[in-house]
């Protein structure tokens, strides 16, 4: 095997995702997993689950992860990267602990983890690391020797993540009526999080004023807007906006909300909007309900033409980006000099989450970081 395709010292890649229900009977048990320890009554969970019941009780995320698994395995095989790819979820089958147990029993000792979240935040990074630590502790309690686990760096500014989103926006602009196309506004959408969580996202030196979470999204939005201008010859105004807020109403979250933003842009005379979900890897529930249903309905009420651009999903360029990140990290672990691939002003993210990065309100052990046990 050529050095550039050598995964050593790793012997497996684990795709780690959120998980989602795959039928009506799964919805409440899934939400119980997500909200465990918060004391939320079952009746309230049924109300929350209405979004899922609108789509037959199924989230598209598991099927999309299967497609990504297929794309990764095909890309690795086509390029001679001999590394098996496994899949585990935090909140639904296949569960992370079960997958790790099978991997250990199959002889896997050094595992790379790909989380289906591209940006730094507690919910998008450290919580995944906490779940990894919980699963590794469970294996140790069962008498199994836990494997060594490393997490791939944030990939928000890798070309293989950015370029498919540029294509999606260009297609969405072309799908708008010609008379409103050039004046269309781009709303770059991501998941809202509490302002306190945003301000402490990323390494300590990046804390404050939205932290790494907001800075990374703004960097990607600028990259995409510049690329769209180069492709279309038109300078489209844009703004980073938020969606999918949850939790107590008295806690400040990142704003503006996408629906409020659509109302404001319409009042300002904007002729059309493209909603670009840059904060999401695939078209899961927050995309198909909050954007394709709720926000699109709001735009319809306003008489505002809107289009929603595609997420990256299982695009072959994204699979190739993951291959690049795997090979990059393996070379670093072998002590080789590596020039990481990254676009924009922020450069490549850290490989090892430093102490104080994306802290939890109540400290818990987290794997794959400088503060790991």
């Amino acid at each position: 095997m050529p050095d550039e395709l050598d995964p050593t010292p790793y012997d497996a890649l684990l795709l780690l995702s959120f998980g989602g229900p795959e039928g009506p009977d799964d919805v409440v048990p899934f939400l119980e997993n997500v909200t465990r320890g918060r004391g939320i009554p079952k009746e309230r969970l049924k109300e929350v689950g209405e979004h899922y019941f609108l789509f037959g009780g199924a989230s598209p995320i598991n099927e999309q992860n299967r497609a990504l698994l297929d794309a990764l395995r095909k890309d690795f095989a086509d390029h001679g990267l001999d590394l098996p790819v496994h899949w585990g979820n935090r909140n639904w089958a296949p569960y992370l602990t079960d997958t790790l147990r099978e991997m250990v029993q199959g002889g896997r000792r050094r595992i790379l983890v790909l989380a289906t979240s591209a940006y730094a935040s507690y919910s998008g990074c450290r919580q995944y690391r906490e779940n990894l630590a919980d699963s590794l502790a469970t294996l140790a309690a069962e008498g199994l020797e836990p494997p060594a686990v490393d997490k791939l760096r944030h990939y928000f500014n890798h070309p293989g993540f950015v370029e498919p989103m540029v294509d999606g926006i260009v297609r969405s602009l072309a799908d708008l009526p010609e008379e409103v196309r050039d004046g269309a506004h781009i709303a770059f959408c991501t998941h809202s999080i509490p302002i306190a969580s945003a301000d402490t996202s990323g390494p300590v030196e990046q804390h404050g004023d939205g932290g790494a979470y907001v800075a990374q999204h703004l960097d990607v939005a600028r990259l995409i807007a510049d690329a769209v201008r180069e492709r279309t010859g038109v300078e489209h105004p844009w703004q980073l906006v938020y969606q999918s807020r949850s939790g107590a109403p008295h806690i400040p979250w990142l704003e503006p909300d996408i629906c409020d933003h659509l109302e404001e842009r319409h009042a300002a005379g904007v002729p059309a909007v493209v909603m670009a979900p840059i904060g999401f890897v695939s078209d899961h529930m927050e995309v198909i309900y909050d954007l394709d249903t709720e926000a699109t309905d709001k735009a319809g009420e306003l008489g505002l033409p809107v289009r929603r651009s595609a997420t990256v999903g299982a695009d072959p360029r994204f699979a190739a980006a993951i291959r690049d990140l795997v090979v990059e990290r393996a070379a670093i672990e072998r002590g080789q000099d590596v020039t990481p691939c990254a676009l924009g002003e922020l450069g490549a993210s850290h490989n090892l989450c430093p102490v104080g990065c994306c802290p939890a309100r109540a400290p818990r052990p987290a794997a794959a970081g400088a503060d790991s046990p």
Side-chain angles (χ1 to χ4, degrees):
M1 178 183 296
D3 288 345
E4 64 269 26
L5 292 178
D6 185 358
T8 309
Y10 299 106
D11 52 23
L13 176 69
L14 169 63
L15 174 65
L16 176 55
S17 193
F18 192 82
E22 300 202 68
D25 293 341
D26 297 342
V27 173
V28 171
F30 163 74
L31 292 173
E32 287 175 334
N33 288 342
V34 173
T35 61
R36 193 173 306 282
R38 301 183 200 173
I40 300 176
K42 182 170 288 190
E43 290 307 310
R44 174 58 183 151
L45 294 180
K46 290 180 180 177
E47 293 175 16
V48 174
E50 285 303 317
H51 294 180
Y52 292 95
F53 293 126
L54 288 174
F55 298 92
S59 166
I61 192 170
N62 279 355
E63 195 58 41
Q64 289 162 5
N65 280 327
R66 293 184 184 101
L68 180 55
L69 277 172
D70 290 343
L72 290 171
R73 288 166 176 160
K74 181 180 187 305
D75 180 272
F76 287 10
D78 288 349
H79 292 85
L81 180 60
D82 185 15
L83 192 70
V85 186
H86 301 257
W87 170 35
N89 290 324
R90 292 168 47 196
N91 298 296
W92 201 249
Y95 288 103
L96 170 61
T97 301
D98 295 338
T99 298
L100 280 174
R101 183 186 298 110
E102 292 171 3
M103 294 173 76
V104 169
Q105 291 172 340
R108 308 303 175 193
R109 302 302 315 145
R110 187 82 186 268
I111 297 170
L112 259 179
V113 176
L114 163 66
T116 54
S117 175
Y119 302 85
S121 69
Y122 171 74
S123 57
C125 183
R126 185 174 178 90
Q127 194 168 19
Y128 283 82
R129 294 174 49 224
E130 290 176 352
N131 293 147
L132 279 166
D134 291 343
S135 293
L136 294 173
T138 298
L139 298 187
E142 294 173 356
L144 296 171
E145 183 181 352
V149 173
D150 292 325
K151 179 179 175 291
L152 287 173
R153 65 176 172 90
H154 302 301
Y155 45 83
F156 62 93
N157 56 2
H158 194 287
F161 186 68
V162 173
E163 290 168 1
M165 292 189 290
V166 173
D167 288 351
I169 292 173
V170 171
R171 286 194 298 268
S172 292
L173 287 167
D175 191 49
L176 284 167
E178 187 175 0
E179 62 271 19
V180 301
R181 186 178 305 150
D182 287 353
H185 170 88
I186 303 173
F188 291 107
C189 306
T190 192
H191 208 301
S192 185
I193 60 175
I195 290 176
S197 294
D199 287 347
T200 56
S201 59
V204 172
E205 61 271 18
Q206 296 177 18
H207 289 183
D209 196 24
Y213 186 76
V214 172
Q216 290 171 358
H217 281 86
L218 286 173
D219 199 38
V220 171
R222 281 190 291 266
L223 280 168
I224 294 173
D226 288 347
V228 169
R229 183 188 66 246
E230 292 175 6
R231 291 269 296 274
T232 65
V234 177
E235 181 88 38
H236 290 275
W238 62 269
Q239 186 172 338
L240 179 63
V241 301
Y242 303 93
Q243 61 177 89
S244 313
R245 183 202 160 115
S246 60
H250 68 278
I251 297 175
W253 284 52
L254 293 171
E255 295 178 337
D257 175 77
I258 177 60
C259 289
D260 295 338
H261 182 67
L262 292 174
E263 288 185 338
E264 187 272 334
R265 290 292 80 204
H266 178 256
V270 165
V273 174
V274 170
M275 301 181 292
I278 63 171
F280 304 90
V281 171
S282 63
D283 290 6
H284 51 68
M285 187 56 67
E286 282 84 352
V287 176
I288 66 169
Y289 180 79
D290 295 345
L291 294 183
D292 293 355
T293 305
E294 192 172 50
T296 299
D297 286 350
K298 170 59 70 175
E301 293 172 10
L302 297 169
L304 178 67
V306 293
R307 297 293 185 272
R308 195 270 290 174
S309 64
T311 52
V312 172
D315 190 288
R317 289 167 292 183
F318 183 46
I322 301 308
R323 168 172 41 89
D324 179 66
L325 292 171
V326 166
V327 172
E328 170 195 299
R329 182 61 180 274
I332 290 171
E333 293 299 312
R334 295 196 303 270
Q336 296 177 226
D337 290 331
V338 175
T339 301
C341 184
L343 301 173
E345 299 177 357
L346 298 180
S349 230
H350 50 263
N351 281 303
L352 188 68
C353 290
V355 175
C357 191
C358 305
R361 284 176 293 178
R364 291 177 53 198
D371 59 351
S372 299

